[in-house]
Amino acid sequence: HNIPSTWASILHKKPVIWMMNELPDIYINVAPSPLLKSLRNIGTRMDSLLVKKYVDQICVNSRLTYEQAKKRYEKVPEIVLFGIDYDTYSKGNPTRIIEKYNLQGHFIVITVGWLTPQKNQLESIKAVEKIRKLIPDIKLILAGRGENRYERILQNYVKLKGLAEHVIFAGFVSEEEKRDLYHTC
């Protein structure tokens, strides 16, 4: 479902349904050079043309993604909301997470996934910045790989706004720990 998988549809003469989590960005870079901007624009146009011509149906996971896909690809997507695999995530062990991150008595919120501008974890941090006035014991756990410029932007924002006691950068987590995180929340 991630770019450039939709481009593979040009090789087949079969109906194609694209399960789109988020609007693809050809090249993610917080501050791209003019050359990278030009290449990204070319790639985005090429992606748009290929999807318009070869993808029969787009399924998205939110109203926001629906609007974005409709605008970029000039197709009316279907909204298919994600479910959580209850059998997997109901069996987590919250005690391990609470002990590991010292979360006893805290209101816990998580995001799971790569730390990227596409996933916009900065908005989650900004939400915690506002919510902490109402829920002073809130903790946001950002679980996912970073080690990039965007992660540094997030870390700098947390430091600048004095949010270190409210935001935990967990890095990559195993499936078992992910299950524990979901169960804890």
Side-chain angles (χ1 to χ4, degrees), residues 35-159:
L35 175 62
L36 282 178
K37 276 185 184 178
S38 295
L39 290 173
R40 180 170 50 194
N41 289 340
I42 291 167
T44 300
R45 280 192 217 111
M46 190 169 98
D47 171 63
S48 182
L49 292 171
L50 290 173
V51 170
K52 285 177 191 176
K53 183 167 174 85
Y54 296 105
V55 172
D56 298 286
Q57 182 64 53
I58 301 172
C59 295
V60 298
N61 60 5
S62 70
R63 191 69 165 150
L64 172 65
T65 312
Y66 171 92
E67 295 298 335
Q68 293 170 333
K70 188 175 172 187
K71 182 178 178 182
R72 181 179 287 183
Y73 301 113
E74 300 171 1
K75 290 180 178 272
V76 178
E78 291 290 327
I79 298 176
V80 179
L81 300 176
F82 292 149
I84 296 293
D85 182 352
Y86 182 78
D87 288 338
T88 299
Y89 293 111
S90 65
K91 293 179 177 75
N93 182 345
T95 305
R96 285 191 291 235
I97 295 300
I98 290 169
E99 289 174 0
K100 180 175 182 175
Y101 296 109
N102 193 24
L103 299 172
Q104 191 65 39
H106 289 283
F107 183 87
I108 306 160
V109 181
I110 64 170
T111 69
V112 177
W114 285 89
L115 302 181
T116 70
Q118 270 183 305
K119 296 205 179 286
N120 202 3
Q121 289 93 346
L122 183 57
E123 284 304 311
S124 297
I125 294 169
K126 288 179 179 180
V128 166
E129 182 180 10
K130 292 176 184 174
I131 292 170
R132 71 184 170 143
K133 294 172 181 122
L134 299 171
I135 308 172
D137 61 348
I138 192 167
K139 291 272 189 183
L140 169 64
I141 301 174
L142 300 173
R145 290 193 198 276
E147 302 173 12
N148 57 41
R149 186 171 180 182
Y150 186 67
E151 182 180 24
R152 289 188 298 279
I153 288 170
L154 299 176
Q155 290 169 338
N156 289 337
Y157 187 88
V158 166
K159 186 176 180 180

